[in-house]
Amino acid sequence: MSKQSGKVAIVTGANNGIGFETTVGMAEAGFHVVMACRSLEKAAAAKASVLARIPSASLEILVLDLSDLTSVRGFAQAFRARYSTLDVLINNAGILLYSAQTNADGVELQFATNHLGHFLLTALLIDMFPDDSASRIVSLSSIAHKNANTHFDDLTCGQDGGVAYGQSKLACLLFGDELDRQLTASGKSLKSLTVHPGGSDSGLFNDLDEATRANMKEQVEQLLHSNEDAAKPSLFAALSDQVKGGEYYGPTGPEEMSGKTWVATRNPICDDHGLAKRLWRLSEEMTDQTFAI
Ligand SMILES: NC(=O)c1ccc[n+]([C@@H]2O[C@H](COP(=O)([O-])OP(=O)(O)OC[C@H]3O[C@@H](n4cnc5c(N)ncnc54)[C@H](OP(=O)(O)O)[C@@H]3O)[C@@H](O)[C@H]2O)c1
């Protein structure tokens, strides 16, 4: 990992779990980190905790609710008013729901938060990256994408929250891959990379009912690693000079749940570039935003 200074990074969902540890890592690497969080109160507490670990950390909190396109536009406007460049964007925030929920626009909440919000955020900030191979967009997927498919005619996936989570994380991966193909085709040095963190006991499972959580814990507890280790693929993708644009990184240990970071296993559906383009067009329509590269 190379040491940076005077560079700006955004981490979405910086106040908890993997995003918190990613913020610590980016601050430690010398970045000024914008903590993009939906709760100012939680973000302020997280900022104090980062500073307790890294007293030299340079941090700013800006409000961002990814499930609300107006909030995403407000965040981008506030960011542009304060900064002239962006070096690293880490699309980390996410939710896992086993119940069917929608946002104020009636869009399935996990697709809206995990994918659409990040799609719009990236589209609104893409022109701020220096044309440099150290410029990075990192999008978090999940092992859960491996058994997933897209259900564009019914984003609620038959009101099944678990299936919709997989779909949203597949969308994060398809988006990150397509973004890198388009950047490469335009001759840009900016890289889009995708990662998954393996498994860690973060706040992600708090919305599940107790029985589902206990059952899940029983199945995977031995395989989990810490949130600090789960942040390593994101930090590797953001900071290492060994990465390749368009690559998907994650832990390489048992069942890819923990261990050293390297190239991770994708769902073969990711080879369907036509599907990624369909998702791109759908996302442009749903956000009412042309994504120009
Ligand atoms: N932990 C795992 O085992 C695991 C496995 C695979 C993939 N992942 C992925 O890793 C990423 C980080 O999750 P985590 O495990 O660290 O979970 P976490 O502890 O629950 O953290 C998620 C973060 O996202 C934020 N967030 C949720 N909805 C948001 C919204 N509408 N707008 C802005 N921020 C929002 C949360 O804010 P609040 O605190 O306000 O809720 C929190 O800061 C997610 O993309 C998740 O899908 C995690």
Side-chain angles (χ1 to χ4, degrees):
M1 307 277 181
S2 46
K3 191 91 181 164
Q4 312 283 338
S5 65
K7 292 196 168 186
V8 178
I10 295 174
V11 179
T12 68
N15 60 282
N16 206 57
I18 296 161
F20 174 81
E21 294 297 343
T22 304
T23 302
V24 170
M26 293 301 286
E28 205 163 24
F31 279 78
H32 171 73
V33 185
V34 175
M35 303 172 71
C37 303
R38 61 178 165 174
S39 156
L40 271 181
E41 205 184 331
K42 287 188 199 173
K47 182 179 171 186
S49 303
V50 177
L51 284 166
R53 275 171 62 181
I54 317 283
S56 63
S58 175
L59 307 165
E60 183 180 14
I61 296 164
L62 286 181
V63 175
L64 169 68
D65 181 347
L66 286 154
S67 70
D68 173 357
L69 298 178
T70 307
S71 170
V72 178
R73 289 188 184 282
F75 173 90
Q77 209 171 22
F79 182 83
R80 296 184 80 95
R82 285 170 159 74
Y83 302 93
S84 54
T85 56
L86 171 61
D87 299 283
V88 175
L89 169 61
I90 304 187
N91 288 327
N92 162 83
I95 49 168
L96 167 64
L97 307 167
Y98 269 33
S99 57
Q101 292 183 43
T102 53
N103 71 0
D105 299 322
V107 179
E108 196 283 321
L109 194 54
Q110 298 172 101
F111 187 81
T113 307
N114 302 353
H115 168 62
L116 274 188
H118 283 128
F119 177 89
L120 178 60
L121 179 67
T122 310
L124 295 172
L125 301 177
I126 192 96
D127 61 325
M128 295 187 76
F129 290 90
D131 190 24
D132 185 320
S133 66
S135 298
R136 309 277 165 89
I137 296 167
V138 180
S139 301
L140 271 80
S141 184
S142 163
I143 291 172
H145 95 277
K146 281 204 243 178
N147 297 319
N149 210 325
T150 53
H151 305 264
F152 294 150
D153 48 351
D154 173 19
L155 289 171
T156 73
C157 305
Q159 308 283 311
D160 186 326
V163 176
Y165 177 73
Q167 168 182 254
S168 75
K169 291 280 116 180
L170 172 61
C172 295
L173 188 43
L174 290 170
F175 163 58
D177 285 352
E178 177 61 21
L179 179 57
D180 198 71
R181 284 192 289 271
Q182 294 199 24
L183 289 167
T184 304
S186 317
K188 297 271 181 1
S189 302
L190 164 63
K191 291 177 168 62
S192 165
L193 303 128
T194 50
V195 299
H196 79 87
S200 66
D201 193 4
S202 65
L204 192 68
F205 309 97
N206 291 352
D207 288 324
L208 304 183
D209 64 77
E210 217 156 286
T212 310
R213 209 162 53 227
N215 183 32
M216 216 177 228
K217 213 170 173 183
E218 202 180 294
Q219 286 178 33
V220 297
E221 199 166 23
Q222 264 80 347
L223 296 168
L224 299 179
H225 56 172
S226 65
N227 290 320
E228 197 172 348
D229 284 338
K232 286 180 178 163
S234 299
L235 291 168
F236 180 73
L239 301 172
S240 172
D241 51 15
Q242 291 170 41
V243 296
K244 194 167 148 254
E247 200 55 271
Y248 177 48
Y249 296 100
T252 50
E255 300 188 35
E256 297 192 316
M257 291 283 274
S258 64
K260 202 169 155 33
T261 299
W262 194 238
V263 176
T265 316
R266 278 187 172 83
N267 181 334
I269 203 173
C270 297
D271 294 336
D272 183 349
H273 298 182
L275 180 66
K277 283 190 190 345
R278 263 185 78 198
L279 172 70
W280 190 281
R281 284 194 297 274
L282 177 72
S283 307
E284 285 188 324
E285 277 167 32
M286 292 182 79
T287 57
D288 198 18
Q289 176 69 41
T290 303
F291 196 135
I293 290 179

